[in-house]
Amino acid sequence: MRYPNRQKQRKCIIVTTMQHLQRQCGLLLHPTSLPSNLGIGSLGDEAMAFIDLLKQAKVTLWQILPLGPTGYGDSPYAARSTFAGNELLIDLKTLAYEGFLEIGDVLVHPSFPRNRIDYSMVRSFKEPLLKKASDAFLALADSKHKEAYASFCKENAWWLDDYALYQVLCSEYNDSRWNSMWPKDLTLRKPAALKKATDTHKMEIERVKVQQYFFFTQYKAVKDYANANGVSIIGDIPIFVAPDSVDAWTNTRLLKMDKDGMQTASSGVPPDAFSSDGQLWGNPVYNWKEHEKENFAWWIKRIEQTLKLCDIIRIDHFRGFAAYWEVPQGETTAVKGTWVPAPGEKLMAALKQALGDQIPLIAEDLGVITEDVEQLRDSNNLPGMKILQFAFNLENGKLDTTNAYLPHNCQYNSVIYTGTHDNNTTQGWYNELDGVTKDKVRRYLEAPDDQVLWQMIRVLMMSASQYAILPMQDLLGLGSEGRMNVPSTCGQNNWSWQLHSLDIDMWRIDRLRGLIEIYGRIGA
């Protein structure tokens, strides 16, 4: 990894300090992780209460993960749609208040696990109730609701119609692998087959649309409440779409797929010090020539739609806009892949022309970062990411003081994290370090073992980075039991961490607020 010159960075920090640029603090918590006695977090009272907590701590940013409906593995980064919302986030209590469920439907529920989401159990409980609420809405909704629903369907028909049919077909054939398990005519989207399926499943399709209406209506209420209380939401976009998604099914021309809808190449990352085989992600890669022909219309829609849900967008694997690791289909590892250039500059120019020069994006620029990636990021004035846990990789037992992730090297135009959803919690990370590295961490922070976590948070706040963000687990001081995800695994615990309660020790809120105030991260 290339690290910028330390002297140059310090010079930049002096300039930005003189300009009195605003700095903010954020917490990272996906809505699924909000506390709930119904098995999974939702867009109801708990979301509003979390925003109240942020306001109390003077935190002005709430970072979430992608909001799309998840499939196998329940990863938010492998959603069945890049435009739809995750139906499991719909708040059942709100539907009961509105008269589309009985209060008993919400009060009588299974005994769900504490601190971890059992997605299978949640689906078994929640999906029948969402179906019941959808049917009640279609039968009982008043004229105001029906007009709003009709307007929603009309405005979103360009993605909603395909998504609703896709979800119904996934249920019909008990499989989302549209290119290998569905009838050929549906795989190839033959008009007659699509019309027949649509006519046959009208009621089921309508239910999917109603549930999307529920999701977006509830989410809008949450976002409006956040913004009204001085909290901006940082959303997230995975650079690639899932192979078993409506995006792949309806946009084969924009992906490297053959005439039968089968991938000819997959995405991944090359072998490195952590994996001799690299990582084979399996996502289809883009046919960028086709995107250019359409002036990147699909990407423009994608960014535009996401900006309706959040105030700032983090683009995962941003380096793939400069070049991405392409692996021929059929390979079982990523070893035989190659770097393939991508038209990032043309894409960014098209986005600016359509959406304006100041698109609020964050570039996830972790991993193998080359000069062309840095040029693409910096020429578009996008903040990159700095991970504090990555700052203490020793070289021959010595701390590299020029490491770009060390707080004293961070520039203003960056986002600094203790760790992300893919990292261990900071306490878990520190507990697993070897003795030599622990000593360097303690010396850098001038802290004993029991104060390392809070000193990490303190130097995070003190850095020059525009945004300083810590996962909720770090505020709570959790160890490895609070980890959200282990990359390149499909473990049962991935994406399942859940906060038990928002009744958090007041000293934690007070201490965080004190750091925000003393280091000037109070926002505008």
Side-chain angles (χ1 to χ4, degrees):
M1 183 174 290
R2 301 176 67 254
Y3 299 125
N5 180 273
R6 184 175 58 177
Q7 182 178 359
K8 178 181 178 182
Q9 286 187 310
R10 286 181 173 175
K11 185 176 180 180
C12 178
I13 290 173
I14 292 171
V15 171
T16 56
T17 302
M18 292 174 63
Q19 292 175 334
H20 303 292
L21 297 173
Q22 295 290 342
R23 289 149 72 244
Q24 294 177 261
C25 172
L27 284 178
L28 168 59
L29 182 76
H30 195 47
T32 57
S33 296
L34 288 165
S36 172
N37 60 0
L38 299 182
I40 190 171
S42 68
L43 304 173
D45 293 341
E46 291 82 6
M48 306 302 187
F50 181 67
I51 293 167
D52 292 339
L53 187 71
L54 295 178
K55 184 178 181 180
Q56 185 180 11
K58 293 192 175 180
V59 171
T60 55
L61 298 170
W62 177 9
Q63 181 166 338
I64 61 178
L65 306 183
L67 289 166
T70 59
Y72 176 76
D74 293 295
S75 169
Y77 294 89
R80 285 187 171 183
S81 170
T82 196
F83 298 109
N86 187 349
E87 295 91 345
L88 294 182
L89 287 171
I90 296 170
D91 183 55
L92 297 180
K93 289 180 292 184
T94 300
L95 298 182
Y97 297 152
E98 293 174 338
F100 304 127
L101 288 175
E102 301 293 333
I103 193 66
D105 293 329
V106 180
L107 294 179
V108 180
H109 56 80
S111 179
F112 290 101
R114 293 162 61 98
N115 303 324
R116 285 287 169 184
I117 300 164
D118 184 328
Y119 282 97
S120 176
M121 193 174 179
V122 167
R123 285 190 171 91
S124 295
F125 168 71
K126 200 162 188 175
E127 287 179 349
L129 292 179
L130 290 174
K131 177 182 176 182
K132 178 179 179 179
S134 302
D135 289 346
F137 176 88
L138 291 170
L140 304 173
D142 58 26
S143 58
K144 181 179 179 180
H145 273 106
K146 287 184 176 178
E147 287 175 10
Y149 172 62
S151 177
F152 170 80
C153 291
K154 182 178 180 180
E155 290 174 9
N156 294 282
W158 56 274
W159 65 265
L160 182 60
D161 290 351
D162 283 325
Y163 173 71
L165 177 58
Y166 178 82
Q167 285 289 72
V168 169
L169 292 175
C170 286
S171 297
E172 171 78 6
Y173 298 106
N174 197 30
D175 206 309
S176 60
R177 290 171 292 180
W178 55 272
N179 53 7
S180 60
M181 303 302 292
W182 292 7
K184 200 67 173 179
D185 283 355
L186 287 173
T187 290
L188 300 180
R189 295 181 56 79
K190 298 291 187 181
L194 294 178
K195 184 178 186 307
K196 181 179 179 181
T198 300
D199 292 341
T200 302
H201 299 288
K202 282 185 177 179
M203 187 60 185
E204 296 97 319
I205 289 171
E206 202 68 27
R207 288 192 187 111
V208 175
K209 292 182 178 182
V210 170
Q211 289 174 31
Q212 285 300 301
Y213 172 73
F214 289 159
F215 173 91
F216 282 97
T217 301
Q218 291 185 6
Y219 185 86
K220 185 179 185 302
V222 171
K223 184 178 184 298
D224 288 348
Y225 188 73
N227 292 165
N229 283 278
V231 175
S232 298
I233 295 178
I234 301 177
D236 201 325
I237 285 183
I239 188 171
F240 296 115
V241 300
D244 57 338
S245 68
V246 64
D247 308 292
W249 182 49
T250 58
N251 293 289
T252 53
R253 73 191 186 286
L254 299 178
L255 303 166
K256 289 191 175 180
M257 291 180 160
D258 64 21
K259 60 181 179 62
D260 295 319
M262 303 302 292
Q263 292 176 221
T264 59
S266 294
S267 61
V269 291
D272 55 22
F274 301 100
S275 173
S276 59
D277 290 333
Q279 296 180 30
L280 184 60
W281 294 340
N283 305 75
V285 295
Y286 294 112
N287 182 345
W288 283 114
K289 290 182 179 179
E290 290 299 316
H291 282 271
E292 288 189 56
K293 288 180 183 178
E294 300 181 4
N295 197 31
F296 304 99
W298 183 85
W299 269 102
I300 292 170
K301 278 287 190 182
R302 192 181 192 194
I303 299 294
E304 183 179 43
Q305 181 76 355
T306 306
L307 284 174
K308 295 178 182 178
L309 300 177
C310 59
D311 303 288
I312 304 168
I313 302 174
R314 171 191 178 272
I315 298 183
D316 192 54
H317 199 61
F318 177 82
R319 71 106 51 245
F321 288 143
Y324 63 92
W325 190 252
E326 180 175 300
V327 183
Q329 196 64 19
E331 294 293 328
T332 57
T333 73
V335 171
K336 294 185 179 179
T338 55
W339 286 110
V340 178
E345 288 291 359
K346 292 180 180 179
L347 169 61
M348 293 305 300
L351 289 173
K352 289 180 180 180
Q353 184 178 20
L355 304 176
D357 289 337
Q358 303 299 320
I359 306 174
L361 303 177
I362 294 171
E364 187 273 286
D365 54 350
L366 307 175
V368 181
I369 302 304
T370 50
E371 288 188 12
D372 56 341
V373 182
E374 294 178 344
Q375 169 64 25
L376 181 62
R377 178 196 65 204
D378 295 344
S379 64
N380 290 284
N381 196 34
L382 304 182
M385 291 175 54
K386 310 295 181 185
I387 310 299
L388 195 47
Q389 290 183 23
F390 294 167
F392 298 97
N393 296 328
L394 305 187
E395 297 180 4
N396 299 319
K398 294 183 178 180
L399 180 66
D400 177 10
T401 58
T402 67
N403 186 307
Y405 297 147
L406 285 169
H408 67 261
N409 288 329
C410 291
Q411 301 181 26
Y412 174 76
N413 199 29
S414 65
V415 187
I416 188 170
Y417 297 79
T418 47
T420 73
H421 60 275
D422 281 336
N423 294 100
N424 201 343
T425 66
T426 296
Q427 190 62 58
W429 163 81
Y430 182 74
N431 291 344
E432 295 176 2
L433 292 178
D434 61 78
V436 175
T437 307
K438 279 186 177 179
D439 181 64
K440 297 301 182 185
V441 173
R442 288 192 297 263
R443 288 175 180 272
Y444 185 87
L445 299 173
E446 289 194 332
D449 287 333
D450 63 353
Q451 287 299 311
V452 162
L453 171 60
W454 274 99
Q455 290 306 310
M456 292 271 280
I457 295 173
R458 184 183 68 84
V459 298
L460 191 86
M461 299 296 170
M462 189 171 59
S463 73
S465 297
Q466 181 179 7
Y467 304 139
I469 297 174
L470 60 148
M472 190 66 181
Q473 294 94 317
D474 285 354
L475 177 62
L476 298 174
L478 299 182
S480 298
E481 74 279 2
R483 184 164 188 166
M484 186 65 160
N485 179 53
V486 179
S488 300
T489 71
C490 280
Q492 182 178 348
N493 286 334
N494 284 352
W495 315 111
S496 66
W497 179 76
Q498 188 175 21
L499 182 61
H500 177 61
S501 171
L502 286 174
D503 186 16
I504 297 169
D505 295 332
M506 188 52 61
W507 70 264
R508 296 183 185 276
I509 303 301
D510 291 343
R511 190 168 184 178
L512 179 61
R513 183 176 58 246
L515 292 173
I516 289 170
E517 290 174 342
I518 201 168
Y519 292 120
R521 290 194 175 275
I522 56 176

